[in-house]
PDB file of all heavy atoms in Angstrom:
ATOM      1  N   ASN A  51      23.186 -38.339  75.203  1.00  0.00           N
ATOM      2  CA  ASN A  51      23.644 -37.078  74.640  1.00  0.00           C
ATOM      3  C   ASN A  51      22.489 -36.079  74.445  1.00  0.00           C
ATOM      4  O   ASN A  51      22.748 -34.949  74.204  1.00  0.00           O
ATOM      5  CB  ASN A  51      24.323 -37.291  73.287  1.00  0.00           C
ATOM      6  CG  ASN A  51      25.577 -38.120  73.450  1.00  0.00           C
ATOM      7  OD1 ASN A  51      26.210 -38.083  74.478  1.00  0.00           O
ATOM      8  ND2 ASN A  51      25.898 -38.847  72.402  1.00  0.00           N
ATOM      9  N   TYR A  52      21.286 -36.554  74.560  1.00  0.00           N
ATOM     10  CA  TYR A  52      20.117 -35.687  74.325  1.00  0.00           C
ATOM     11  C   TYR A  52      19.162 -35.805  75.501  1.00  0.00           C
ATOM     12  O   TYR A  52      19.128 -36.781  76.228  1.00  0.00           O
ATOM     13  CB  TYR A  52      19.390 -36.132  73.056  1.00  0.00           C
ATOM     14  CG  TYR A  52      20.310 -36.225  71.874  1.00  0.00           C
ATOM     15  CD1 TYR A  52      20.778 -37.423  71.404  1.00  0.00           C
ATOM     16  CD2 TYR A  52      20.737 -35.053  71.196  1.00  0.00           C
ATOM     17  CE1 TYR A  52      21.633 -37.519  70.314  1.00  0.00           C
ATOM     18  CE2 TYR A  52      21.592 -35.131  70.121  1.00  0.00           C
ATOM     19  CZ  TYR A  52      22.049 -36.368  69.680  1.00  0.00           C
ATOM     20  OH  TYR A  52      22.862 -36.413  68.620  1.00  0.00           O
ATOM     21  N   PHE A  53      18.347 -34.762  75.673  1.00  0.00           N
ATOM     22  CA  PHE A  53      17.297 -34.827  76.685  1.00  0.00           C
ATOM     23  C   PHE A  53      16.085 -35.499  76.064  1.00  0.00           C
ATOM     24  O   PHE A  53      15.679 -35.180  74.967  1.00  0.00           O
ATOM     25  CB  PHE A  53      16.890 -33.405  77.115  1.00  0.00           C
ATOM     26  CG  PHE A  53      17.925 -32.721  77.934  1.00  0.00           C
ATOM     27  CD1 PHE A  53      18.507 -31.547  77.484  1.00  0.00           C
ATOM     28  CD2 PHE A  53      18.280 -33.210  79.164  1.00  0.00           C
ATOM     29  CE1 PHE A  53      19.415 -30.863  78.237  1.00  0.00           C
ATOM     30  CE2 PHE A  53      19.199 -32.547  79.935  1.00  0.00           C
ATOM     31  CZ  PHE A  53      19.793 -31.391  79.495  1.00  0.00           C
ATOM     32  N   ASN A  54      15.528 -36.430  76.773  1.00  0.00           N
ATOM     33  CA  ASN A  54      14.223 -36.918  76.328  1.00  0.00           C
ATOM     34  C   ASN A  54      13.156 -36.104  77.033  1.00  0.00           C
ATOM     35  O   ASN A  54      13.454 -35.262  77.885  1.00  0.00           O
ATOM     36  CB  ASN A  54      14.109 -38.436  76.576  1.00  0.00           C
ATOM     37  CG  ASN A  54      14.149 -38.834  78.029  1.00  0.00           C
ATOM     38  OD1 ASN A  54      13.999 -37.942  78.919  1.00  0.00           O
ATOM     39  ND2 ASN A  54      14.395 -40.081  78.319  1.00  0.00           N
ATOM     40  N   ASN A  55      11.950 -36.348  76.752  1.00  0.00           N
ATOM     41  CA  ASN A  55      10.859 -35.565  77.293  1.00  0.00           C
ATOM     42  C   ASN A  55      10.750 -35.582  78.792  1.00  0.00           C
ATOM     43  O   ASN A  55      10.317 -34.659  79.435  1.00  0.00           O
ATOM     44  CB  ASN A  55       9.517 -35.981  76.680  1.00  0.00           C
ATOM     45  CG  ASN A  55       9.426 -35.563  75.226  1.00  0.00           C
ATOM     46  OD1 ASN A  55      10.165 -34.690  74.771  1.00  0.00           O
ATOM     47  ND2 ASN A  55       8.547 -36.223  74.461  1.00  0.00           N
ATOM     48  N   GLU A  56      11.181 -36.700  79.390  1.00  0.00           N
ATOM     49  CA  GLU A  56      11.077 -36.812  80.857  1.00  0.00           C
ATOM     50  C   GLU A  56      12.221 -36.079  81.543  1.00  0.00           C
ATOM     51  O   GLU A  56      12.135 -35.693  82.675  1.00  0.00           O
ATOM     52  CB  GLU A  56      11.106 -38.302  81.225  1.00  0.00           C
ATOM     53  CG  GLU A  56       9.932 -39.056  80.687  1.00  0.00           C
ATOM     54  CD  GLU A  56      10.183 -40.541  80.597  1.00  0.00           C
ATOM     55  OE1 GLU A  56      11.215 -41.003  81.064  1.00  0.00           O
ATOM     56  OE2 GLU A  56       9.369 -41.238  79.999  1.00  0.00           O
ATOM     57  N   LYS A  57      13.377 -35.915  80.873  1.00  0.00           N
ATOM     58  CA  LYS A  57      14.537 -35.335  81.512  1.00  0.00           C
ATOM     59  C   LYS A  57      14.768 -33.858  81.157  1.00  0.00           C
ATOM     60  O   LYS A  57      15.801 -33.290  81.563  1.00  0.00           O
ATOM     61  CB  LYS A  57      15.785 -36.115  81.102  1.00  0.00           C
ATOM     62  CG  LYS A  57      15.859 -37.515  81.668  1.00  0.00           C
ATOM     63  CD  LYS A  57      17.160 -38.154  81.322  1.00  0.00           C
ATOM     64  CE  LYS A  57      17.247 -39.557  81.896  1.00  0.00           C
ATOM     65  NZ  LYS A  57      18.513 -40.197  81.590  1.00  0.00           N
ATOM     66  N   ILE A  58      13.890 -33.239  80.446  1.00  0.00           N
ATOM     67  CA  ILE A  58      14.087 -31.853  80.069  1.00  0.00           C
ATOM     68  C   ILE A  58      13.978 -30.974  81.335  1.00  0.00           C
ATOM     69  O   ILE A  58      13.013 -31.076  82.103  1.00  0.00           O
ATOM     70  CB  ILE A  58      13.038 -31.409  79.059  1.00  0.00           C
ATOM     71  CG1 ILE A  58      13.274 -32.132  77.712  1.00  0.00           C
ATOM     72  CG2 ILE A  58      13.080 -29.899  78.834  1.00  0.00           C
ATOM     73  CD1 ILE A  58      12.289 -31.824  76.663  1.00  0.00           C
ATOM     74  N   PRO A  59      14.958 -30.152  81.627  1.00  0.00           N
ATOM     75  CA  PRO A  59      14.888 -29.299  82.828  1.00  0.00           C
ATOM     76  C   PRO A  59      13.784 -28.268  82.713  1.00  0.00           C
ATOM     77  O   PRO A  59      13.468 -27.806  81.642  1.00  0.00           O
ATOM     78  CB  PRO A  59      16.276 -28.647  82.885  1.00  0.00           C
ATOM     79  CG  PRO A  59      16.873 -28.827  81.564  1.00  0.00           C
ATOM     80  CD  PRO A  59      16.221 -29.959  80.880  1.00  0.00           C
ATOM     81  N   ASP A  60      13.189 -27.919  83.847  1.00  0.00           N
ATOM     82  CA  ASP A  60      12.111 -26.940  83.894  1.00  0.00           C
ATOM     83  C   ASP A  60      12.626 -25.531  83.631  1.00  0.00           C
ATOM     84  O   ASP A  60      11.961 -24.722  83.044  1.00  0.00           O
ATOM     85  CB  ASP A  60      11.437 -26.968  85.258  1.00  0.00           C
ATOM     86  CG  ASP A  60      10.739 -28.289  85.492  1.00  0.00           C
ATOM     87  OD1 ASP A  60      10.460 -28.971  84.512  1.00  0.00           O
ATOM     88  OD2 ASP A  60      10.492 -28.624  86.676  1.00  0.00           O
ATOM     89  N   LYS A  61      13.835 -25.236  84.112  1.00  0.00           N
ATOM     90  CA  LYS A  61      14.408 -23.913  83.978  1.00  0.00           C
ATOM     91  C   LYS A  61      15.564 -23.938  82.978  1.00  0.00           C
ATOM     92  O   LYS A  61      16.180 -24.988  82.794  1.00  0.00           O
ATOM     93  CB  LYS A  61      14.946 -23.435  85.308  1.00  0.00           C
ATOM     94  CG  LYS A  61      13.940 -23.424  86.414  1.00  0.00           C
ATOM     95  CD  LYS A  61      14.651 -23.071  87.717  1.00  0.00           C
ATOM     96  CE  LYS A  61      13.726 -23.346  88.896  1.00  0.00           C
ATOM     97  NZ  LYS A  61      14.403 -23.221  90.159  1.00  0.00           N
ATOM     98  N   PRO A  62      15.868 -22.814  82.389  1.00  0.00           N
ATOM     99  CA  PRO A  62      17.037 -22.797  81.532  1.00  0.00           C
ATOM    100  C   PRO A  62      18.306 -23.028  82.370  1.00  0.00           C
ATOM    101  O   PRO A  62      18.361 -22.637  83.523  1.00  0.00           O
ATOM    102  CB  PRO A  62      17.023 -21.409  80.889  1.00  0.00           C
ATOM    103  CG  PRO A  62      16.069 -20.603  81.654  1.00  0.00           C
ATOM    104  CD  PRO A  62      15.162 -21.556  82.402  1.00  0.00           C
ATOM    105  N   LEU A  63      19.295 -23.658  81.792  1.00  0.00           N
ATOM    106  CA  LEU A  63      20.524 -23.895  82.511  1.00  0.00           C
ATOM    107  C   LEU A  63      21.289 -22.583  82.637  1.00  0.00           C
ATOM    108  O   LEU A  63      21.522 -21.875  81.661  1.00  0.00           O
ATOM    109  CB  LEU A  63      21.391 -24.920  81.768  1.00  0.00           C
ATOM    110  CG  LEU A  63      20.747 -26.305  81.604  1.00  0.00           C
ATOM    111  CD1 LEU A  63      21.622 -27.174  80.713  1.00  0.00           C
ATOM    112  CD2 LEU A  63      20.542 -26.960  82.929  1.00  0.00           C
ATOM    113  N   PRO A  64      21.709 -22.250  83.856  1.00  0.00           N
ATOM    114  CA  PRO A  64      22.411 -20.970  84.070  1.00  0.00           C
ATOM    115  C   PRO A  64      23.839 -21.046  83.526  1.00  0.00           C
ATOM    116  O   PRO A  64      24.455 -22.098  83.512  1.00  0.00           O
ATOM    117  CB  PRO A  64      22.431 -20.774  85.597  1.00  0.00           C
ATOM    118  CG  PRO A  64      22.341 -22.155  86.115  1.00  0.00           C
ATOM    119  CD  PRO A  64      21.527 -22.952  85.128  1.00  0.00           C
ATOM    120  N   GLU A  65      24.286 -19.901  83.034  1.00  0.00           N
ATOM    121  CA  GLU A  65      25.664 -19.870  82.554  1.00  0.00           C
ATOM    122  C   GLU A  65      26.563 -19.759  83.759  1.00  0.00           C
ATOM    123  O   GLU A  65      26.410 -18.852  84.602  1.00  0.00           O
ATOM    124  CB  GLU A  65      25.825 -18.632  81.639  1.00  0.00           C
ATOM    125  CG  GLU A  65      27.243 -18.517  81.079  1.00  0.00           C
ATOM    126  CD  GLU A  65      27.398 -17.322  80.214  1.00  0.00           C
ATOM    127  OE1 GLU A  65      26.398 -16.907  79.584  1.00  0.00           O
ATOM    128  OE2 GLU A  65      28.475 -16.753  80.197  1.00  0.00           O
ATOM    129  N   SER A  66      27.497 -20.662  83.890  1.00  0.00           N
ATOM    130  CA  SER A  66      28.385 -20.592  85.060  1.00  0.00           C
ATOM    131  C   SER A  66      29.556 -19.689  84.753  1.00  0.00           C
ATOM    132  O   SER A  66      30.170 -19.797  83.679  1.00  0.00           O
ATOM    133  CB  SER A  66      28.862 -22.017  85.437  1.00  0.00           C
ATOM    134  OG  SER A  66      29.628 -22.528  84.349  1.00  0.00           O
ATOM    135  N   SER A  67      29.831 -18.802  85.643  1.00  0.00           N
ATOM    136  CA  SER A  67      30.970 -17.890  85.447  1.00  0.00           C
ATOM    137  C   SER A  67      32.009 -18.159  86.506  1.00  0.00           C
ATOM    138  O   SER A  67      31.716 -18.636  87.596  1.00  0.00           O
ATOM    139  CB  SER A  67      30.508 -16.439  85.510  1.00  0.00           C
ATOM    140  OG  SER A  67      30.044 -16.124  86.815  1.00  0.00           O
ATOM    141  N   ASP A  68      33.206 -17.841  86.186  1.00  0.00           N
ATOM    142  CA  ASP A  68      34.328 -17.988  87.099  1.00  0.00           C
ATOM    143  C   ASP A  68      34.222 -16.948  88.227  1.00  0.00           C
ATOM    144  O   ASP A  68      33.802 -15.807  87.994  1.00  0.00           O
ATOM    145  CB  ASP A  68      35.622 -17.807  86.315  1.00  0.00           C
ATOM    146  CG  ASP A  68      36.820 -18.151  87.109  1.00  0.00           C
ATOM    147  OD1 ASP A  68      36.739 -18.998  88.005  1.00  0.00           O
ATOM    148  OD2 ASP A  68      37.912 -17.567  86.865  1.00  0.00           O
ATOM    149  N   PHE A  69      34.616 -17.316  89.424  1.00  0.00           N
ATOM    150  CA  PHE A  69      34.531 -16.371  90.544  1.00  0.00           C
ATOM    151  C   PHE A  69      35.423 -15.158  90.302  1.00  0.00           C
ATOM    152  O   PHE A  69      35.137 -14.067  90.813  1.00  0.00           O
ATOM    153  CB  PHE A  69      34.857 -17.063  91.855  1.00  0.00           C
ATOM    154  CG  PHE A  69      36.341 -17.339  92.079  1.00  0.00           C
ATOM    155  CD1 PHE A  69      37.151 -16.452  92.771  1.00  0.00           C
ATOM    156  CD2 PHE A  69      36.886 -18.512  91.609  1.00  0.00           C
ATOM    157  CE1 PHE A  69      38.491 -16.724  92.985  1.00  0.00           C
ATOM    158  CE2 PHE A  69      38.220 -18.797  91.812  1.00  0.00           C
ATOM    159  CZ  PHE A  69      39.019 -17.913  92.508  1.00  0.00           C
ATOM    160  N   ARG A  70      36.410 -15.300  89.510  1.00  0.00           N
ATOM    161  CA  ARG A  70      37.311 -14.179  89.207  1.00  0.00           C
ATOM    162  C   ARG A  70      36.570 -13.082  88.422  1.00  0.00           C
ATOM    163  O   ARG A  70      36.750 -11.879  88.700  1.00  0.00           O
ATOM    164  CB  ARG A  70      38.546 -14.651  88.420  1.00  0.00           C
ATOM    165  CG  ARG A  70      39.477 -15.490  89.285  1.00  0.00           C
ATOM    166  CD  ARG A  70      40.629 -16.064  88.419  1.00  0.00           C
ATOM    167  NE  ARG A  70      41.488 -16.899  89.217  1.00  0.00           N
ATOM    168  CZ  ARG A  70      41.275 -18.199  89.396  1.00  0.00           C
ATOM    169  NH1 ARG A  70      40.253 -18.812  88.804  1.00  0.00           N
ATOM    170  NH2 ARG A  70      42.085 -18.936  90.116  1.00  0.00           N
ATOM    171  N   GLU A  71      35.739 -13.450  87.477  1.00  0.00           N
ATOM    172  CA  GLU A  71      34.980 -12.463  86.723  1.00  0.00           C
ATOM    173  C   GLU A  71      33.981 -11.745  87.641  1.00  0.00           C
ATOM    174  O   GLU A  71      33.798 -10.543  87.484  1.00  0.00           O
ATOM    175  CB  GLU A  71      34.224 -13.158  85.557  1.00  0.00           C
ATOM    176  CG  GLU A  71      35.160 -13.697  84.470  1.00  0.00           C
ATOM    177  CD  GLU A  71      36.059 -12.647  83.874  1.00  0.00           C
ATOM    178  OE1 GLU A  71      35.577 -11.518  83.626  1.00  0.00           O
ATOM    179  OE2 GLU A  71      37.251 -12.962  83.715  1.00  0.00           O
ATOM    180  N   THR A  72      33.390 -12.451  88.525  1.00  0.00           N
ATOM    181  CA  THR A  72      32.449 -11.849  89.476  1.00  0.00           C
ATOM    182  C   THR A  72      33.173 -10.829  90.368  1.00  0.00           C
ATOM    183  O   THR A  72      32.687  -9.736  90.610  1.00  0.00           O
ATOM    184  CB  THR A  72      31.777 -12.912  90.360  1.00  0.00           C
ATOM    185  OG1 THR A  72      31.199 -13.890  89.507  1.00  0.00           O
ATOM    186  CG2 THR A  72      30.728 -12.305  91.244  1.00  0.00           C
ATOM    187  N   LEU A  73      34.372 -11.198  90.811  1.00  0.00           N
ATOM    188  CA  LEU A  73      35.174 -10.272  91.641  1.00  0.00           C
ATOM    189  C   LEU A  73      35.565  -9.014  90.856  1.00  0.00           C
ATOM    190  O   LEU A  73      35.511  -7.899  91.406  1.00  0.00           O
ATOM    191  CB  LEU A  73      36.428 -10.968  92.177  1.00  0.00           C
ATOM    192  CG  LEU A  73      36.206 -11.982  93.275  1.00  0.00           C
ATOM    193  CD1 LEU A  73      37.499 -12.712  93.559  1.00  0.00           C
ATOM    194  CD2 LEU A  73      35.724 -11.264  94.526  1.00  0.00           C
ATOM    195  N   LYS A  74      35.958  -9.203  89.601  1.00  0.00           N
ATOM    196  CA  LYS A  74      36.357  -8.053  88.783  1.00  0.00           C
ATOM    197  C   LYS A  74      35.157  -7.090  88.596  1.00  0.00           C
ATOM    198  O   LYS A  74      35.302  -5.877  88.654  1.00  0.00           O
ATOM    199  CB  LYS A  74      36.869  -8.517  87.421  1.00  0.00           C
ATOM    200  CG  LYS A  74      38.257  -9.152  87.502  1.00  0.00           C
ATOM    201  CD  LYS A  74      38.674  -9.679  86.150  1.00  0.00           C
ATOM    202  CE  LYS A  74      39.962 -10.476  86.255  1.00  0.00           C
ATOM    203  NZ  LYS A  74      40.368 -11.060  84.954  1.00  0.00           N
TER     204      LYS A  74
END
Side-chain angles (χ1 to χ4, degrees):
N51 296 332
Y52 307 102
F53 288 118
N54 63 18
N55 289 339
E56 297 157 8
K57 291 185 180 180
I58 293 178
D60 296 338
K61 303 175 193 171
L63 299 174
E65 180 181 329
S66 63
S67 65
D68 187 30
F69 74 95
R70 290 175 183 88
E71 292 304 317
T72 307
L73 286 173
K74 288 176 187 177

